[in-house]
Amino acid sequence: MEAGPPGSARPAEPGPCLSGQRGADHTASASLQSVAGTEPGRHPQAVAAVLPAGGCGERMGVPTPKQFCPILERPLISYTLQALERVCWIKDIVVAVTGENMEVMKSIIQKYQHKRISLVEAGVTRHRSIFNGLKALAEDQINSKLSKPEVVIIHDAVRPFVEEGVLLKVVTAAKEHGAAGAIRPLVSTVISPSADGCLDYSLERARHRASEMPQAFLFDVIYEAYQQVTYKRDLYAAESIIKERISQEICVVMDTEEDNKHVGHLLEEVLKSELNHVKVTSEALGHAGRHLQQIILDQCYNFVCVNVTTSDFQETQKLLSMLEESNLCILYPVVVVSVHFLDFKLVPPSQKMENLMQIREFAKEVKERNILLYGLLISYPQDDQKLQESLRQGAIIIASLIKERNSGLIGQLLIA
């Protein structure tokens, strides 16, 4: 489930596009042209994907088919679609679903703004569903937006952690051998993904089956499988992986007043010290928030909004408005921790609690937009040592809120 080795193509697993990975789509496309033997001026081979998604999920033991089970309140199949969509050289993605789930699938595509997706009705078996998907790609239909590909990836709808490097390698092998398999070959044997030679072994088995593929399909077929969600425990494991991946960056947001900036930077330094595996940056809300808007566009999913001497939510509301206007919250829940610094010796908490409890109403409103808002009250004593201790306690709470993304705690005011 980890990203590929250095220099490999960008992993297509669910998660934000991390810095340093930009431009990898172009590299992968160039690699695909190379392996396809494309000459200058010619188009690279066409690649499509078929996702059989007609299963009922008996082994999952839940009434909802596993491909529609929620992870962070988003259907599992949406993560798989996102992973394939991020591979720019996959031109079409065909999903085979049962007639009774067709409208559900359409609503998922619309809600999460998936692109390049076509739907066909699933068959009574997995192989029949695959056949229906391949048939839709093979046929020249009037007004069809699908084009006949040279290579088709058959990928399970419940395997969201697929890497672009693996897909590229198996497309190359399919082009050479007529069919290929990654981790699970065309036969029923399951190969462990931990062994470096597993892909080569799968290809060897697939080569002998390539001649058995129905010639009516007119194109090569790839089987690719990776970290399947089969049982209920797998849902929790997948959720944990996704949470970890979207918790790797925190932006500390503060206004331009010197007092706020000073304490905000202190909190930033403590977060960096306590969370050395997480990228921590800071940004001001001034200047129309241009830099902050860029951070949002770069897909940071965690924000800490600093309020020093005030108990209102003016700065937090500005940040929430920016997040609501963006599309950042469509795919993943965004965490916002509204941090308030108060000197308890000068201002008893009870005097400010009434205003601070407004966070409950704010949290309910923004939860509808997939924003998880929490409140954090940090003691702001004059003693530097005590302040550092308060900041460390605050950093621990912030880290926990971001990692867990517990919707049951939204609107709560925690004290460090």
Side-chain angles (χ1 to χ4, degrees), residues 32 35-36 44-50 89 92 130-131 133-135 137-138 147-155 167-181 186 203 206-207 209-224:
L32 188 58
V35 301
Q45 62 182 355
V47 179
V50 171
W89 41 265
D92 296 302
I130 293 172
F131 179 87
L134 295 173
K135 185 178 179 182
L137 288 165
S147 57
K148 185 180 295 185
E150 296 177 56
V151 176
V152 179
I153 299 170
I154 311 298
H155 185 71
L167 292 176
L168 183 59
K169 190 173 182 180
V170 82
V171 165
T172 306
K175 189 68 176 177
E176 179 180 352
H177 302 298
L186 292 177
L203 300 186
R207 183 174 2 202
R209 291 293 302 273
S211 60
E212 301 176 21
M213 298 304 296
Q215 295 302 307
F217 290 158
L218 300 178
F219 38 65
D220 307 316
V221 178
I222 302 166
Y223 266 64
E224 201 286 335

Side-chain angles (χ1 to χ4, degrees), residues 229-387:
V229 176
T230 303
Y231 302 100
K232 198 170 183 179
R233 63 176 180 268
D234 297 330
L235 286 174
Y236 300 128
E239 179 177 300
S240 178
I241 293 168
I242 293 169
K243 283 180 177 179
E244 182 70 21
R245 286 176 173 167
I246 61 176
S247 300
Q248 295 304 304
E249 182 176 358
I250 300 173
C251 179
V252 180
V253 181
M254 60 197 83
D255 64 27
T256 55
E257 292 185 14
E258 288 303 316
D259 286 345
N260 288 17
K261 288 175 64 177
H262 171 68
V263 178
H265 286 307
L266 285 177
L267 178 58
E268 178 187 359
E269 293 304 314
V270 172
L271 284 169
K272 288 179 178 178
S273 175
E274 296 293 321
L275 311 176
N276 51 24
H277 62 288
V278 176
K279 178 183 178 182
V280 181
T281 59
S282 63
E283 194 52 67
L285 275 169
H287 307 293
R290 287 191 297 271
H291 296 299
L292 185 56
Q293 288 173 347
Q294 186 58 51
I295 290 174
I296 293 173
L297 288 174
D298 288 342
Q299 297 181 316
C300 174
Y301 291 91
N302 312 286
F303 297 87
V304 176
C305 194
V306 175
N307 304 269
V308 179
T309 58
T310 178
S311 60
D312 60 34
F313 290 87
Q314 185 175 354
E315 304 304 320
T316 301
Q317 285 180 293
K318 290 179 183 178
L319 173 61
L320 293 174
S321 296
M322 294 178 66
L323 291 171
E324 287 180 312
E325 291 171 2
S326 74
N327 288 326
L328 182 68
C329 316
I330 291 176
L331 297 179
Y332 300 101
V334 176
V335 168
V336 176
V337 183
S338 184
V339 180
H340 301 262
F341 288 85
L342 291 175
D343 188 335
F344 293 162
K345 290 183 178 180
L346 298 178
V347 183
S350 59
Q351 294 184 12
K352 298 295 182 180
M353 246 353 139
E354 185 175 349
N355 287 336
L356 288 173
M357 291 314 294
Q358 296 178 59
I359 194 171
R360 290 181 176 178
E361 296 304 318
F362 294 146
K364 289 179 183 178
E365 293 174 10
V366 298
K367 177 63 171 61
E368 300 298 320
R369 297 295 301 275
N370 210 20
I371 299 174
L372 306 180
L373 174 62
Y374 309 95
L376 177 60
L377 191 59
I378 296 181
S379 175
Y380 187 26
Q382 299 301 314
D383 184 277
D384 288 343
Q385 184 175 351
K386 291 181 179 179
L387 176 58

Side-chain angles (χ1 to χ4, degrees), residues 3-37:
S8 66
R10 174 165 62 81
E13 78 282 355
C17 298
L18 302 178
S19 58
Q21 293 176 337
R22 297 181 183 88
D25 281 337
H26 176 75
T27 303
S29 297
S31 300
L32 188 58
Q33 281 189 314
S34 175
V35 301

Side-chain angles (χ1 to χ4, degrees), residues 81-95:
L81 292 177
Q82 181 194 5
L84 293 176
E85 284 175 315
R86 290 177 59 190
V87 182
C88 65
W89 41 265
I90 296 178
K91 302 304 180 184
D92 296 302
I93 302 169
V94 179
V95 182

Side-chain angles (χ1 to χ4, degrees), residues 46-82:
V47 179
V50 171
L51 272 69
C56 61
E58 288 183 26
R59 287 177 292 178
M60 181 70 71
V62 294
T64 303
K66 57 187 176 183
Q67 60 270 27
F68 299 118
C69 284
I71 296 180
L72 296 179
E73 301 186 23
R74 177 179 158 202
L76 173 61
I77 193 171
S78 176
Y79 291 97
T80 308
L81 292 177
Q82 181 194 5

